[in-house]
Amino acid sequence: MPVLFSVRSASADYEVISDCRALTDSAAAMRGGIVIADVYFEGRLADAGISAIVMEAVESAKSLDALSAVIVEMRARGAARGTHLWAVGGGVIQDVAGFVGSIYMRGMAWTYVPTTLLGMVDSCIGGKSSINVLTHKNLVGTFHPPRAVLIDPMLTATLSVEQQVAGLVEAAKICYCRGRQCFDEHLALGPRIGLAPDALETLIAHSLRAKKWFVEVDEFDRAERLLLNLGHTFGHALESASDYQLSHGIGVGIGILCALALSRELLQRDARGAAHELERHMRGLLRCLPDTARLVGAIETAGIFERLESDKKHEPDHHRFITFDAGGCVQVTRLPKTPESRAAVIRALHGTLESL
Ligand SMILES: NC(=O)c1ccc[n+]([C@@H]2O[C@H](COP(=O)([O-])OP(=O)(O)OC[C@H]3O[C@@H](n4cnc5c(N)ncnc54)[C@H](O)[C@@H]3O)[C@@H](O)[C@H]2O)c1
Ligand SMILES: [Zn+2]
């Protein structure tokens, strides 16, 4: 099993392994531990003799209330502090397992097998878990990196177009934030719907190497890693206001367009550099989902703005957004909470939604 690289972490370094038979190769180890899995994999795991705690990958599974049932089930199955925890699924399962794994008996070791492209290109490294509280998306969470990440690109073969777009959006975001060369290299890999697993393997490795830089230089999200929130303040607000009809990656894709529009408002002209290519790429990906404009059109804009205002990343007197500078580089921007800046944010939001 080729080790792609290891990630340096304050708790313990961990390996990212490319394994095109991840579920089969790990079956024996999983049978000796506790497995939390997306219900989509229930049958496949059962065929390998693994009885997993399964859940639907929906936002409500990431709520504090839903977690109690998982914890009680782990206890019923005899999970102890030394039991190894396995997570098989996309970002929802990762968030649940990462969070539960960090608090159950004050923490247990875990291994993650991402099954969505978004999980493979982005969320599987960095050690963050995020849980929703009422309407507040990702309000609580922990840093609890897995002991290992097993990536099996073959698992992407059954993903919907929406799930493929979601992963490609996050991969493009990471590579853009890492710098012009990294983004150009990403575009040269021809990121699009329907890529074969071996082409995706290269794309996943490229995106993860870019993300590795951010999580090693700023593991706890205080400076450089904040840039990876590009598109996320708008994106989370859209996801939540749509009652999660819009998935995370799609919300982020639209959110990146909103961030470009907000930058245009602030600069009074277009950002240069590779910003134009990023916009074209995002619009191309979103066009693969003809339903997006209808879904977005059905959302009440007041609801989006209300959620934008309550985002946890803002400060008491300032909104915080990731924007583009004149040269197209991403930066953290603090906007005073004045009527003028609120109006600029609303114009950016409206203009973007109308352009979809
Ligand atoms: N912790 C982090 O660092 C982090 C980072 C990014 C996103 N997230 C969170 O992740 C969530 C989104 O995760 P996601 O986009 O990976 O998807 P997901 O976990 O929400 O799953 C999306 C859908 O894909 C299905 N699915 C999963 N694997 C499949 C496969 N191989 N074939 C067919 N269908 C499959 C699921 O059953 C589900 O219907 C959001 O809640 C987001 O906030 C967390
Ligand atoms: Zn994201």
Side-chain angles (χ1 to χ4, degrees):
M1 291 189 294
V3 176
L4 288 178
F5 52 77
S6 71
V7 181
R8 244 183 306 114
S9 161
S11 50
D13 296 359
Y14 53 101
E15 285 181 340
V16 180
I17 294 162
S18 180
D19 179 359
C20 64
R21 288 163 38 93
L23 294 182
T24 323
D25 290 350
S26 313
M30 286 190 195
R31 283 194 291 271
I34 291 276
V35 182
I36 298 179
D38 187 321
V39 68
Y40 185 83
F41 289 92
E42 183 174 26
R44 200 159 152 187
L45 292 170
D47 289 347
I50 299 158
S51 156
I53 300 173
V54 293
M55 59 181 66
E56 265 193 78
V58 288
E59 279 301 309
S60 55
K62 281 182 36 168
S63 70
L64 280 180
D65 286 345
L67 293 183
S68 308
V70 177
I71 291 169
V72 168
E73 181 60 23
M74 287 168 69
R75 183 73 180 132
R77 291 171 180 234
R81 201 172 179 187
T83 308
H84 198 84
L85 178 65
W86 291 79
V88 178
V92 166
I93 302 301
Q94 178 193 343
D95 276 336
V96 170
F99 188 76
V100 165
S102 68
I103 58 171
Y104 187 85
M105 297 196 182
R106 298 201 180 78
M108 55 200 300
W110 69 296
T111 297
Y112 180 38
V113 184
T115 66
T116 58
L117 188 57
L118 187 145
M120 294 182 202
V121 298
D122 178 10
S123 64
C124 68
I125 65 170
K128 273 198 217 172
S129 68
S130 307
I131 295 297
N132 307 329
V133 182
L134 299 175
T135 59
H136 301 283
K137 164 102 179 162
N138 291 352
L139 186 63
V140 299
T142 51
F143 284 99
H144 184 58
R147 287 292 161 87
V149 177
L150 306 183
I151 303 220
D152 178 354
M154 299 302 285
L155 295 174
T156 59
T158 50
L159 290 175
S160 64
V161 170
E162 181 181 4
Q163 274 303 310
Q164 295 178 55
V165 170
L168 293 174
V169 163
E170 292 274 23
K173 175 211 73 179
I174 294 169
C175 295
Y176 188 92
C177 291
R178 183 70 186 94
R180 179 81 196 234
Q181 187 185 340
C182 186
F183 184 56
D184 286 348
E185 286 166 359
H186 173 74
L187 292 182
L189 295 174
R192 62 183 177 279
I193 300 308
L195 278 185
D198 58 338
L200 278 180
E201 188 173 8
T202 312
L203 187 146
I204 292 163
H206 183 63
S207 172
L208 282 183
R209 285 205 174 87
K211 179 153 178 191
K212 170 179 150 75
W213 181 82
F214 287 96
V215 302
E216 288 189 338
V217 78
D218 176 27
E219 182 171 9
F220 299 110
D221 229 353
R222 291 187 184 116
E224 292 86 346
R225 194 173 169 182
L226 290 174
L227 299 175
L228 297 181
N229 286 325
L230 174 63
H232 278 61
T233 302
F234 286 106
H236 284 162
L238 284 159
E239 262 183 279
S240 169
S242 77
D243 208 11
Y244 299 104
Q245 296 298 301
L246 277 180
S247 62
H248 177 74
I250 310 308
V252 171
I254 303 171
I256 290 173
L257 296 178
C258 292
L260 280 158
L262 178 60
S263 309
R264 212 170 282 133
E265 290 282 339
L266 301 175
L267 294 165
Q268 293 295 302
R269 63 178 170 85
D270 276 334
R272 297 216 172 90
H276 182 63
E277 274 107 303
L278 179 66
E279 175 159 11
R280 209 173 37 199
H281 183 54
M282 283 299 139
R283 288 194 187 277
L285 289 175
L286 292 171
R287 266 198 299 276
C288 300
L289 300 167
D291 223 22
T292 304
R294 188 191 56 77
L295 269 178
V296 167
I299 311 175
E300 218 192 309
T301 25
I304 307 174
F305 193 71
E306 198 180 296
R307 284 164 172 89
L308 262 181
E309 285 263 291
S310 69
D311 191 283
K312 64 177 186 291
K313 295 185 283 296
H314 300 311
E315 299 162 24
D317 300 324
H318 289 81
H319 290 122
R320 234 170 37 166
F321 289 96
I322 308 301
T323 63
F324 297 79
D325 69 14
C329 293
V330 284
Q331 60 186 359
V332 179
T333 294
R334 294 169 72 245
L335 287 181
K337 290 183 177 171
T338 57
E340 293 75 24
S341 58
R342 279 197 174 92
V345 171
I346 290 175
R347 277 197 302 275
L349 181 66
H350 278 184
T352 303
L353 299 187
E354 275 164 17
S355 74
L356 290 174

